[in-house]
Amino acid sequence: MTIENFRVLEDHFCFSVYNTSHAIQHVYQPTLAQHGLTYPQYLVLVILYKQRREQR
């Protein structure tokens, strides 16, 4: 593979997904910090809440 075959980082879909995820976490961070939660912990709570609602 030659250097000409490489795409710049911004052209990679995974980089766009990473940037979007980072931006979302940045928006949620102040509210989550008030509750002592990280973004991954928040996601787990959302999943557990959804599962509990589905059991009812």
Side-chain angles (χ1 to χ4, degrees):
M1 185 175 257
T2 66
I3 201 82
E4 292 84 24
N5 293 341
F6 283 98
R7 291 182 176 195
V8 293
L9 188 56
E10 291 81 10
D11 288 346
H12 289 269
F13 179 71
C14 60
F15 184 70
S16 297
V17 171
Y18 169 79
N19 273 345
T20 302
S21 173
H22 190 266
I24 290 170
Q25 290 180 40
H26 182 74
V27 170
Y28 276 77
Q29 196 278 330
T31 302
L32 295 175
Q34 292 175 359
H35 301 284
L37 293 171
T38 63
Y39 188 68
Q41 290 170 327
Y42 166 73
L43 293 178
V44 169
L45 288 174
V46 170
I47 292 167
L48 292 173
Y49 177 75
K50 181 179 183 278
Q51 289 176 345
R52 183 169 181 173
R53 288 191 59 173
E54 290 173 352
Q55 290 175 353
R56 291 182 181 181

